[in-house]
Amino acid sequence: MAKETFMDKFEQLPRAVKILLFLFPISGWALSSIYRFCYFAKEKELISLVIGLVGLVSGIGIIFGWADALSEIKFNRVTFFVHE
């Protein structure tokens, strides 16, 4: 059986909880970066690593969290520089 990753555990959360976590500035900033780092570790997509680093070291990470909340609302998953 495959090891369950952070992304798998996060996707199992209720949709409303994921949206709220992304909307709060500190948790959204951290979660959006961590999610992209985990995606990079899994899929080796360099753009997700770059966006995760940019979001982590700058205030733009809060905006990335809001974009992730919108993608959760519309697509029920994170899509901003993560999924094809």
Side-chain angles (χ1 to χ4, degrees), residues 14 22 28 34 36 38 40 47 60 66 71-72 77:
F22 279 129
I34 292 169
R36 281 164 184 80
C38 293
F40 171 75
I47 190 71
I60 299 173
W66 295 339
S71 72
E72 278 290 336
R77 63 188 176 117

Side-chain angles (χ1 to χ4, degrees), residues 2-30:
K3 186 177 176 184
E4 194 172 35
T5 65
F6 169 80
M7 291 171 48
D8 296 331
K9 290 179 182 180
F10 183 75
E11 291 300 331
Q12 292 174 357
L13 291 173
R15 187 177 186 192
V17 171
K18 292 189 288 185
I19 292 168
L20 287 174
L21 285 172
F22 279 129
L23 286 177
F24 287 113
I26 300 300
S27 63
W29 164 73

Side-chain angles (χ1 to χ4, degrees), residues 14-83:
R15 187 177 186 192
V17 171
K18 292 189 288 185
I19 292 168
L20 287 174
L21 285 172
F22 279 129
L23 286 177
F24 287 113
I26 300 300
S27 63
W29 164 73
L31 276 175
S32 67
S33 295
I34 292 169
Y35 196 93
R36 281 164 184 80
F37 294 150
C38 293
Y39 184 76
F40 171 75
K42 180 180 174 186
E43 300 292 329
K44 306 298 185 228
E45 289 287 332
L46 187 59
I47 190 71
S48 63
L49 176 64
V50 171
I51 296 297
L53 287 171
V54 167
L56 187 64
V57 299
S58 69
I60 299 173
I62 294 169
I63 297 170
F64 292 164
W66 295 339
D68 291 339
L70 290 175
S71 72
E72 278 290 336
I73 291 169
K74 186 169 182 179
F75 302 111
N76 201 22
R77 63 188 176 117
V78 177
T79 58
F80 182 65
F81 288 113
V82 177
H83 293 281

